[in-house]
Amino acid sequence: MIRRPPRSTLDRSSAASDVYKRQIVKLPNEVKNGTVGIFVKSLITGKELYSLNPEKALTPASNTKLVTAYTALNELGTNYDVKTLALALQKPISGIISGNLFLKGFGDPYFNVNDIEDIVDDLIKSGVKQINGDIIGDGSFYDNKSKRIQYSGDADVVEDLPPIYALSIEKNYFTVIVSSLSIPGLPCNVQTYPRSSGFSIINDAVSNGYVKPIVQQKESSHRRVSNFAKQSRNNFKKNWKRHSEVLKSKGSIRFGDELIYFRRKPHSYNKAKVSDNLNNKNGISVVITNDSTGKVLIKVSGKLAVGRRVSYRYEAKNPAAIAAGILFDKLILSGIKINGIVKTGNSPSQYKVLAGVERPLNDMLKFVLKNSNNFLAENVFKIVGGYNGGIFETAHSTIDATNKNLIQDKIPMKGTVINDGSGLSRNNRIPAQTLVGILSSSYRDKKIFKTLYPLMAIAGVDGTVRRRMRGTCLLYTSDAADERSSENLVGHRIIK
């Protein structure tokens, strides 16, 4: 925590303000053009120590995350947990759930297959043996504008973030794996990762190739060919083993016995056709749509050379169906009978919580502030909107909550414009006095300050400023520097 300095130290700090004026600004062009804003204030006395264009609204970049975190702590509280729940209209009677079982998400971006297994374990412990209804995925906590540019108002992607949904699964990506058999003409095998009954697969892909004719050779020639082939196989095994060890050390993901090489960017939902490397006549086409029940429909067609395996990674446009399908499969494997199908929909307003998992919001905010994680910042941004009832225009609800908190806490906000939670939007504008006002307001609220202060990066120690400002007296900070020639810094300076 900030240590309260003796009065003599405060006097020295006040007297040193003239030194700040001479040394703190070494940006003559920026000062002349009015593209720099500085505001230094004592949190203890409330006295302004130095200012330069404090009311000038400038592009805040990742300092927007401080506004996002401050709003979240005020709206949700300092002990808020992000939950994913299994719901029903009523508690099970004699081990039977009469009606649908809903899986509802409240914005957990880390929700994964292991969490679903924990939910299934809890249902089993509660004595559930049969479900007379459907398994329904519910992602209605906030809207389906899963891309930042859909609600931020600007057309610049800046950073391609994973899709953002209220009910997520495995960061909302899935992989389609197509493998051919050793006999030409037979259908290919099509699998998905993660496996889920939320997928519907139409497989028209076949194995393609030809069988080499047997050629009679002389014994000496045949022996030479065999020795060469044997040596080639040995060399291949040795090199492949070494190559596999290198890839494994880099954290490659394995499916079965072969390594899968993910593309740097996932495919779009448009038709993706990829030619096989061994035969230009071969090609696999994968088309992703949704069926009438909300399931993800995968249509695979084309030809693949025998003995080959290819994989394609996609963004999940309806992760609620995939998550519900995984829950369906895990329940069946655990011996629970289900008289229904996998669907997506909204859970009832009156429900009973049967099981669930939760994660502390502060764990997310730590990565948002220390590591400037844009994906988590946008998730927190939408969680705030969903909490405030923004199921249709979630971003607007978050912006309204932000403005409300700034006004209530008497923080100067003239010229402030917030369009997203991460600061990737080029249209965001925040004055220096607004950012300092947030730090001052949080300092006055000891409960929020106790939570917010340790979440911020320490200059020269960790986070995005771990290699910056070493040896200075600046300690807890929130830093931003990006490709748009916008560099910002806001934080606390401990006076010793």
Side-chain angles (χ1 to χ4, degrees), residues 12 58 124 158 177 182 240 248 312 447 484:
R12 288 197 302 271
L58 301 171
I124 293 174
V158 184
I177 307 163
S182 58
W240 176 251
K248 186 175 181 181
Y312 311 107
K447 190 174 182 181
R484 294 168 286 172

PDB file of all heavy atoms in Angstrom, residues 12 58 124 158 177 182 240 248 312 447 484:
ATOM      1  N   ARG A  12       8.729  19.081   0.573  1.00  0.00           N
ATOM      2  CA  ARG A  12       9.765  18.968  -0.452  1.00  0.00           C
ATOM      3  C   ARG A  12       9.132  18.663  -1.800  1.00  0.00           C
ATOM      4  O   ARG A  12       9.576  19.158  -2.826  1.00  0.00           O
ATOM      5  CB  ARG A  12      10.758  17.864  -0.070  1.00  0.00           C
ATOM      6  CG  ARG A  12      11.665  18.231   1.101  1.00  0.00           C
ATOM      7  CD  ARG A  12      12.881  17.302   1.151  1.00  0.00           C
ATOM      8  NE  ARG A  12      12.491  15.912   1.276  1.00  0.00           N
ATOM      9  CZ  ARG A  12      12.304  15.306   2.439  1.00  0.00           C
ATOM     10  NH1 ARG A  12      12.445  15.983   3.579  1.00  0.00           N
ATOM     11  NH2 ARG A  12      11.975  14.036   2.484  1.00  0.00           N
ATOM     12  N   LEU A  58      -7.444  12.985 -25.264  1.00  0.00           N
ATOM     13  CA  LEU A  58      -6.514  12.337 -26.192  1.00  0.00           C
ATOM     14  C   LEU A  58      -6.820  10.850 -26.292  1.00  0.00           C
ATOM     15  O   LEU A  58      -7.570  10.295 -25.484  1.00  0.00           O
ATOM     16  CB  LEU A  58      -5.076  12.541 -25.698  1.00  0.00           C
ATOM     17  CG  LEU A  58      -4.616  13.999 -25.560  1.00  0.00           C
ATOM     18  CD1 LEU A  58      -3.273  14.059 -24.853  1.00  0.00           C
ATOM     19  CD2 LEU A  58      -4.541  14.671 -26.925  1.00  0.00           C
ATOM     20  N   ILE A 124     -24.178 -35.636 -10.671  1.00  0.00           N
ATOM     21  CA  ILE A 124     -24.182 -37.033 -10.230  1.00  0.00           C
ATOM     22  C   ILE A 124     -24.218 -37.110  -8.704  1.00  0.00           C
ATOM     23  O   ILE A 124     -24.966 -37.906  -8.115  1.00  0.00           O
ATOM     24  CB  ILE A 124     -22.950 -37.774 -10.787  1.00  0.00           C
ATOM     25  CG1 ILE A 124     -23.046 -37.887 -12.313  1.00  0.00           C
ATOM     26  CG2 ILE A 124     -22.831 -39.160 -10.164  1.00  0.00           C
ATOM     27  CD1 ILE A 124     -21.803 -38.464 -12.952  1.00  0.00           C
ATOM     28  N   VAL A 158      -7.451  -3.774 -35.766  1.00  0.00           N
ATOM     29  CA  VAL A 158      -6.273  -3.526 -34.932  1.00  0.00           C
ATOM     30  C   VAL A 158      -5.687  -4.842 -34.418  1.00  0.00           C
ATOM     31  O   VAL A 158      -4.539  -5.171 -34.683  1.00  0.00           O
ATOM     32  CB  VAL A 158      -6.577  -2.582 -33.753  1.00  0.00           C
ATOM     33  CG1 VAL A 158      -5.285  -2.268 -32.977  1.00  0.00           C
ATOM     34  CG2 VAL A 158      -7.215  -1.298 -34.243  1.00  0.00           C
ATOM     35  N   ILE A 177     -11.143 -32.193 -38.258  1.00  0.00           N
ATOM     36  CA  ILE A 177     -10.038 -33.079 -38.635  1.00  0.00           C
ATOM     37  C   ILE A 177     -10.560 -34.093 -39.647  1.00  0.00           C
ATOM     38  O   ILE A 177     -11.504 -34.839 -39.362  1.00  0.00           O
ATOM     39  CB  ILE A 177      -9.466 -33.806 -37.410  1.00  0.00           C
ATOM     40  CG1 ILE A 177      -9.097 -32.794 -36.321  1.00  0.00           C
ATOM     41  CG2 ILE A 177      -8.264 -34.659 -37.785  1.00  0.00           C
ATOM     42  CD1 ILE A 177      -8.914 -33.400 -34.961  1.00  0.00           C
ATOM     43  N   SER A 182      -6.692 -46.081 -46.089  1.00  0.00           N
ATOM     44  CA  SER A 182      -5.628 -46.575 -46.965  1.00  0.00           C
ATOM     45  C   SER A 182      -6.152 -47.161 -48.259  1.00  0.00           C
ATOM     46  O   SER A 182      -5.369 -47.523 -49.131  1.00  0.00           O
ATOM     47  CB  SER A 182      -4.801 -47.639 -46.219  1.00  0.00           C
ATOM     48  OG  SER A 182      -5.642 -48.710 -45.799  1.00  0.00           O
ATOM     49  N   TRP A 240      12.207 -37.637 -37.838  1.00  0.00           N
ATOM     50  CA  TRP A 240      10.856 -37.341 -37.346  1.00  0.00           C
ATOM     51  C   TRP A 240      10.828 -37.327 -35.818  1.00  0.00           C
ATOM     52  O   TRP A 240      10.173 -36.502 -35.207  1.00  0.00           O
ATOM     53  CB  TRP A 240       9.874 -38.360 -37.881  1.00  0.00           C
ATOM     54  CG  TRP A 240       8.486 -38.167 -37.320  1.00  0.00           C
ATOM     55  CD1 TRP A 240       7.830 -38.939 -36.430  1.00  0.00           C
ATOM     56  CD2 TRP A 240       7.604 -37.082 -37.613  1.00  0.00           C
ATOM     57  NE1 TRP A 240       6.607 -38.421 -36.148  1.00  0.00           N
ATOM     58  CE2 TRP A 240       6.433 -37.272 -36.862  1.00  0.00           C
ATOM     59  CE3 TRP A 240       7.691 -35.950 -38.432  1.00  0.00           C
ATOM     60  CZ2 TRP A 240       5.357 -36.421 -36.909  1.00  0.00           C
ATOM     61  CZ3 TRP A 240       6.622 -35.080 -38.477  1.00  0.00           C
ATOM     62  CH2 TRP A 240       5.473 -35.326 -37.730  1.00  0.00           C
ATOM     63  N   LYS A 248       7.191 -30.795 -29.729  1.00  0.00           N
ATOM     64  CA  LYS A 248       6.571 -31.057 -28.438  1.00  0.00           C
ATOM     65  C   LYS A 248       7.072 -30.081 -27.396  1.00  0.00           C
ATOM     66  O   LYS A 248       6.325 -29.616 -26.532  1.00  0.00           O
ATOM     67  CB  LYS A 248       6.858 -32.491 -28.016  1.00  0.00           C
ATOM     68  CG  LYS A 248       6.119 -32.906 -26.751  1.00  0.00           C
ATOM     69  CD  LYS A 248       6.353 -34.364 -26.461  1.00  0.00           C
ATOM     70  CE  LYS A 248       5.587 -34.799 -25.206  1.00  0.00           C
ATOM     71  NZ  LYS A 248       5.813 -36.212 -24.890  1.00  0.00           N
ATOM     72  N   TYR A 312      -8.581 -28.131 -40.033  1.00  0.00           N
ATOM     73  CA  TYR A 312      -8.945 -26.749 -40.269  1.00  0.00           C
ATOM     74  C   TYR A 312      -9.546 -26.181 -38.983  1.00  0.00           C
ATOM     75  O   TYR A 312     -10.393 -26.810 -38.355  1.00  0.00           O
ATOM     76  CB  TYR A 312      -9.968 -26.631 -41.406  1.00  0.00           C
ATOM     77  CG  TYR A 312      -9.577 -27.406 -42.633  1.00  0.00           C
ATOM     78  CD1 TYR A 312     -10.233 -28.585 -42.965  1.00  0.00           C
ATOM     79  CD2 TYR A 312      -8.544 -26.968 -43.448  1.00  0.00           C
ATOM     80  CE1 TYR A 312      -9.875 -29.306 -44.087  1.00  0.00           C
ATOM     81  CE2 TYR A 312      -8.172 -27.673 -44.577  1.00  0.00           C
ATOM     82  CZ  TYR A 312      -8.838 -28.852 -44.889  1.00  0.00           C
ATOM     83  OH  TYR A 312      -8.471 -29.569 -46.001  1.00  0.00           O
ATOM     84  N   LYS A 447     -12.143   0.110  -0.039  1.00  0.00           N
ATOM     85  CA  LYS A 447     -12.448  -1.245  -0.480  1.00  0.00           C
ATOM     86  C   LYS A 447     -12.020  -1.456  -1.924  1.00  0.00           C
ATOM     87  O   LYS A 447     -11.417  -2.481  -2.274  1.00  0.00           O
ATOM     88  CB  LYS A 447     -13.946  -1.513  -0.312  1.00  0.00           C
ATOM     89  CG  LYS A 447     -14.334  -2.969  -0.503  1.00  0.00           C
ATOM     90  CD  LYS A 447     -15.801  -3.187  -0.180  1.00  0.00           C
ATOM     91  CE  LYS A 447     -16.170  -4.668  -0.321  1.00  0.00           C
ATOM     92  NZ  LYS A 447     -17.613  -4.899  -0.019  1.00  0.00           N
ATOM     93  N   ARG A 484       0.033   2.940 -32.954  1.00  0.00           N
ATOM     94  CA  ARG A 484      -0.584   4.165 -33.468  1.00  0.00           C
ATOM     95  C   ARG A 484       0.149   5.411 -32.985  1.00  0.00           C
ATOM     96  O   ARG A 484      -0.412   6.500 -32.953  1.00  0.00           O
ATOM     97  CB  ARG A 484      -2.054   4.209 -33.030  1.00  0.00           C
ATOM     98  CG  ARG A 484      -2.890   3.122 -33.645  1.00  0.00           C
ATOM     99  CD  ARG A 484      -4.239   3.026 -32.963  1.00  0.00           C
ATOM    100  NE  ARG A 484      -4.128   2.416 -31.647  1.00  0.00           N
ATOM    101  CZ  ARG A 484      -5.129   2.353 -30.781  1.00  0.00           C
ATOM    102  NH1 ARG A 484      -6.289   2.873 -31.074  1.00  0.00           N
ATOM    103  NH2 ARG A 484      -4.959   1.768 -29.611  1.00  0.00           N
TER     104      ARG A 484
END
